[in-house]
Amino acid sequence: MSQYGGTLLVAIAQDGNSNILPVAFALVEGENAESWSFFLSHLREHVTPQPGLLVISDRHNGIKAALEAPDGGWLPPAAYRAFCIRHIAANFALTFKGKDARRLLVNAAYAKTEVEFDYWFDILRSENPAMCDWANRIEYSLWTQHCDEDRRFGHMTTNISECVNSILKGVRNLPVCSLVKATYGRLAELFVRKGREAEAQMGTGQQFSQYLVKCIEANLRTARHFTVTLYDRDNSEYTVAETTPTGSFSLGTYRVSLGSKTCDCGYFQALHFPCPHALACCAYSRLTWQPYVHEVYQLSSVFGVYQMVFAPPIPEGFWPPYAGPTVIPDPSMRRAREGRPRSTRIRTNMDEADPNRPKRCGLCRQPGHTKRSCPQAAGPSGTARNQ
């Protein structure tokens, strides 16, 4: 934030076409309870007043205090909270070393059924019972997918927040007013472009988003290996047998309820669109799969996401007279002019590079050398260096 320090708080969402969109920004002095309370209270009041929202975040005490405030509007049933499993795994790794144990914890969190969760948790318990005791201190509904009451729609991390860096690229070191204007303009352009894309798709007669269509097509290919063995047409209850591609032996059976939109595999209720087993039932009963898709995947819902109106900002010359307090910058927060700024980022195992991944040149992206010694780097005379 120019020559003064500060922290950028961002709220990120995702539409039914798997497009990532930022919905709110705030420049604050630091990541503390007061700042998070200011940000989340205004977010709830002005941007996301709709009920039933799920907030996925890390376990920062400032976020916890803001979401649990009685007058904040984030308490159930108006809104719910869940933890990012990548941050949970990073906290877990601080106590228990080893990538295998962390992988088991993540697999248990991603499990869509209780049976699958118990399978991974039992393996984790056999490694070290203390690991399970550590995980049991966190409420299951906050970090496991099978206990989230189908609110996550498959989202387990906050990694999508990293994708908004392209919007802020090139404006981080601008003064505050210029930074806000640039971010505002880029967001307005993003919403207009995505809205036109959704409108164009609706003009072709499509009903659902491209993301859903791709998922359904993949599930339809898998559904060919399933056979409906029992069914109750009146109650839309089915039993589906999964066989090998050659049909030589069975891999298991699953119960599917089209009426309640559930399946034993857990994908139907977790992702809110038909899994391969449900599609096999639809084909067997000659039913269309469209009624069993959540409305969030409809193009009309995607188009509605980008209907927000961005009013042009008032030019500074037309601002009304200001009679409030005068804010004077704190000299102690000013950054040093010389030298590289000291990083205050708290690094975790998420920032560690994969040791098995070969290093590549920043110029030609080939392994085995660096940008300084790259044979494709042109010298002052226009010839290649180091030859």
Side-chain angles (χ1 to χ4, degrees):
M1 200 170 69
S2 185
Q3 58 185 338
Y4 291 95
T7 301
L8 176 67
L9 305 182
V10 188
I12 309 296
Q14 196 167 20
D15 65 18
N17 203 20
S18 196
N19 291 318
I20 298 167
L21 64 146
V23 296
F25 295 86
L27 292 170
V28 295
E29 62 180 0
E31 198 173 356
N32 51 47
E34 184 179 1
S35 298
W36 276 115
S37 178
F38 162 81
F39 177 62
L40 291 174
S41 61
H42 283 77
L43 175 69
R44 189 61 166 165
E45 179 180 358
H46 301 291
V47 184
T48 57
Q50 60 267 38
L53 291 178
L54 177 70
V55 180
I56 303 177
S57 69
D58 58 20
R59 296 193 295 167
H60 192 280
N61 289 331
I63 302 177
K64 180 177 183 294
L67 294 178
E68 295 180 354
D71 55 347
W74 294 103
L75 293 176
Y80 301 88
R81 186 189 182 191
F83 293 146
C84 168
I85 185 54
R86 191 167 184 182
H87 285 87
I88 293 288
N91 298 148
F92 177 83
L94 295 176
T95 305
F96 305 100
K97 305 301 180 181
K99 292 185 178 180
D100 291 339
R102 187 168 70 244
R103 177 181 57 83
L104 293 173
L105 181 73
V106 172
N107 289 345
Y110 271 88
K112 293 178 175 61
T113 63
E114 185 176 0
V115 174
E116 185 182 359
F117 172 82
D118 291 338
Y119 169 79
W120 292 111
F121 217 58
D122 288 341
I123 299 178
L124 190 68
R125 185 178 290 106
S126 65
E127 293 287 333
N128 187 352
M131 297 179 181
C132 294
D133 295 337
W134 185 96
N136 286 331
R137 288 196 290 267
I138 308 174
E139 188 177 346
Y140 281 1
S141 62
L142 297 177
W143 66 280
T144 64
Q145 191 167 199
H146 83 283
C147 288
D148 70 345
E149 298 185 8
D150 309 325
R151 297 190 181 98
R152 286 183 179 262
F153 281 75
H155 298 297
M156 294 296 295
T157 71
T158 58
N159 290 357
I160 59 174
S161 61
E162 303 294 337
C163 299
V164 301
N165 289 335
S166 59
I167 297 178
L168 302 175
K169 188 176 182 180
V171 302
R172 292 179 181 272
N173 295 323
L174 294 177
V176 174
C177 291
S178 300
L179 187 150
V180 172
K181 289 180 181 179
T183 303
Y184 182 90
R186 295 185 181 191
L187 283 181
E189 188 275 333
L190 173 68
F191 271 65
V192 171
R193 176 163 49 86
K194 291 297 182 181
R196 288 176 178 173
E197 291 177 1
E199 188 176 17
Q201 294 175 14
M202 292 174 62
T204 61
Q206 297 184 28
Q207 182 182 358
F208 297 101
S209 65
Q210 293 180 346
Y211 167 77
L212 176 74
V213 172
K214 292 180 180 179
C215 293
I216 292 295
E217 289 176 350
N219 289 346
L220 283 172
R221 291 191 293 268
T222 307
R224 299 171 184 172
H225 306 299
F226 300 148
T227 303
V228 178
T229 57
L230 298 172
Y231 75 100
D232 182 352
R233 183 182 297 273
D234 295 334
N235 299 318
S236 299
E237 303 284 346
Y238 301 82
T239 300
V240 181
E242 181 178 359
T243 60
T244 58
T246 59
S248 55
F249 59 90
S250 175
L251 298 176
T253 58
Y254 299 85
R255 296 170 300 171
V256 178
S257 173
L258 294 180
S260 60
K261 300 179 181 179
T262 60
C263 177
D264 282 346
C265 71
Y267 280 80
F268 198 174
Q269 50 268 40
L271 302 180
H272 300 274
F273 58 79
C275 62
H277 310 102
L279 290 175
C281 297
C282 290
Y284 182 84
S285 298
R286 293 178 173 82
L287 299 174
T288 59
W289 53 263
Q290 287 83 353
Y292 306 104
V293 176
H294 196 281
E295 62 181 6
V296 74
Y297 298 107
Q298 297 180 1
L299 277 178
S300 57
S301 299
V302 176
F303 179 71
V305 171
Y306 302 98
Q307 287 299 96
M308 172 184 281
V309 178
F310 283 79
I314 302 174
E316 188 173 353
F318 294 90
W319 289 359
Y322 177 71
T326 301
V327 180
I328 302 176
D330 185 357
S332 63
M333 296 182 64
R334 187 167 182 170
R335 292 179 176 174
R337 294 185 178 181
E338 297 181 359
R340 186 173 182 176
R342 180 177 298 176
S343 175
T344 58
R345 179 184 178 96
I346 301 175
R347 301 183 66 85
T348 65
N349 66 303
M350 291 189 294
D351 301 302
E352 297 176 0
D354 186 358
N356 298 323
R357 183 178 181 180
K359 295 183 179 180
R360 297 180 180 272
C361 171
L363 185 64
C364 66
R365 305 306 301 166
Q366 296 300 319
H369 62 271
T370 63
K371 182 178 180 180
R372 183 183 297 274
S373 59
C374 180
Q376 299 186 22
S381 61
T383 59
R385 293 198 301 262
N386 300 329
Q387 292 188 2

